[in-house]
Amino acid sequence: GDSVTQMEGPVTLSEEAFLTINCTYTATGYPSLFWYVQYPGEGLQLLLKATKADDKGSNKGFEATYRKETTSFHLEKGSVQVSDSAVYFCALYLGFQKLVFGTGTRLLVSP
Amino acid sequence: KAGVTQTPRYLIKTRGQQVTLSCSPISGHRSVSWYQQTPGQGLQFLFEYFSETQRNKGNFPGRFSGRQFSNSRSEMNVSTLELGDSALYLCASSVTGTGGKGTEAFFGQGTRLTVV
């Protein structure tokens, strides 16, 4: 079935370090792919998305490229800040607002 | 404009009881979907409503049900509560929620349900 696999956390980084959170997916067809972020006590916020192969989504310094050949959508940021500390979810879209989420990766950034 | 509003934010219920959670979508959004978030199972899709019709449903028992009103507000109901129903229930709204490439879903802050 359709599924998303994310790297386990927590990912612990110092401020200004480079961030990569791996995400791979299994799906029939070519779904849209999303990254959502959840801050403590909050709901999910859309961070970025890509709708077709080789699309690059970007927002707030975060980037992810839809790689059909490797079925991946890895999240990257060149220089993380303490305020980026949150849980990040990779998700694929199956239609009619059904999102299939990965297990989430907690990011902890220290000053 | 106002975001997705879920009420109540916190709820404590006893096993065997039933509960109703409410979601008011962003004005103009006609699609409302519901998700359950638990530490063990993560985020799981419950169902989606559009124009008062359920269009999609996840793999949850019949104890979980929902509805949508003509003003797009939605409620979900869980009957005969079990301890395992303790979770954060998230509601998301979007403009159309049609198939295809996916329109952005805006999530509420959730209702944290604790079953004791």
Side-chain angles (χ1 to χ4, degrees), chain A residues 30-32 34 36 38 41-46 49 51-52 89 93-103, chain B residues 9 31 33 35 37 43 45 48 55-58 88 90 94 97-105 107-109:
Chain A
Y30 303 105
S32 295
F34 296 80
Y36 278 86
Q38 187 175 34
E42 302 288 323
L44 281 78
Q45 298 175 27
L46 178 65
K49 75 174 191 179
T51 59
K52 61 184 187 297
F89 293 91
Y93 179 69
L94 297 180
F96 300 110
Q97 288 309 314
K98 181 177 181 180
L99 291 160
V100 174
F101 288 91
T103 52
Chain B
R9 289 291 310 279
S31 170
S33 51
Y35 291 82
Q37 185 177 23
L43 279 153
F45 175 80
E48 187 256 0
R55 298 193 301 182
N56 205 352
K57 189 176 189 302
L88 180 67
L90 292 166
S94 65
T98 57
K101 293 303 183 180
T103 54
E104 179 175 354
F107 283 80
Q109 291 184 291

Side-chain angles (χ1 to χ4, degrees), chain B residues 4-77:
Chain B
V4 178
T5 303
Q6 291 188 247
T7 57
R9 289 291 310 279
Y10 303 92
L11 208 48
I12 301 175
K13 289 288 189 179
T14 304
R15 269 182 303 175
Q17 287 186 314
Q18 74 165 13
V19 67
T20 299
L21 312 182
S22 180
C23 172
S24 293
I26 292 171
S27 177
H29 286 194
R30 297 170 63 190
S31 170
V32 174
S33 51
W34 290 87
Y35 291 82
Q36 181 195 64
Q37 185 177 23
T38 61
Q41 299 297 316
L43 279 153
Q44 294 186 286
F45 175 80
L46 281 155
F47 29 65
E48 187 256 0
Y49 287 86
F50 181 80
S51 291
E52 302 178 65
T53 300
Q54 185 184 90
R55 298 193 301 182
N56 205 352
K57 189 176 189 302
N59 296 322
F60 279 82
R63 299 186 297 107
F64 291 81
S65 63
R67 60 178 175 168
Q68 187 180 34
F69 302 95
S70 58
N71 62 359
S72 293
R73 190 177 70 85
S74 176
E75 291 180 345
M76 67 163 282
N77 183 276

Side-chain angles (χ1 to χ4, degrees), chain A residues 35-97:
Chain A
W35 276 100
Y36 278 86
V37 58
Q38 187 175 34
Y39 297 99
E42 302 288 323
L44 281 78
Q45 298 175 27
L46 178 65
L47 184 59
L48 52 85
K49 75 174 191 179
T51 59
K52 61 184 187 297
D54 300 325
D55 260 4
K56 178 185 280 189
S58 61
N59 186 28
K60 299 180 182 178
F62 291 90
E63 292 183 340
T65 301
Y66 190 160
R67 301 287 188 199
K68 187 178 71 173
E69 63 277 11
T70 55
T71 62
S72 65
F73 193 54
H74 305 322
L75 182 68
E76 297 182 335
K77 186 176 186 183
S79 175
V80 294
Q81 306 300 312
V82 172
S83 57
D84 293 327
S85 297
V87 181
Y88 292 81
F89 293 91
C90 183
L92 62 84
Y93 179 69
L94 297 180
F96 300 110
Q97 288 309 314

Side-chain angles (χ1 to χ4, degrees), chain A residues 7-29:
Chain A
M7 61 188 289
E8 289 207 19
V11 173
T12 304
L13 295 172
S14 298
E15 207 166 24
E16 299 184 4
F18 184 84
L19 167 71
T20 300
I21 299 178
N22 291 336
C23 169
T24 57
Y25 67 91
T26 302
T28 52

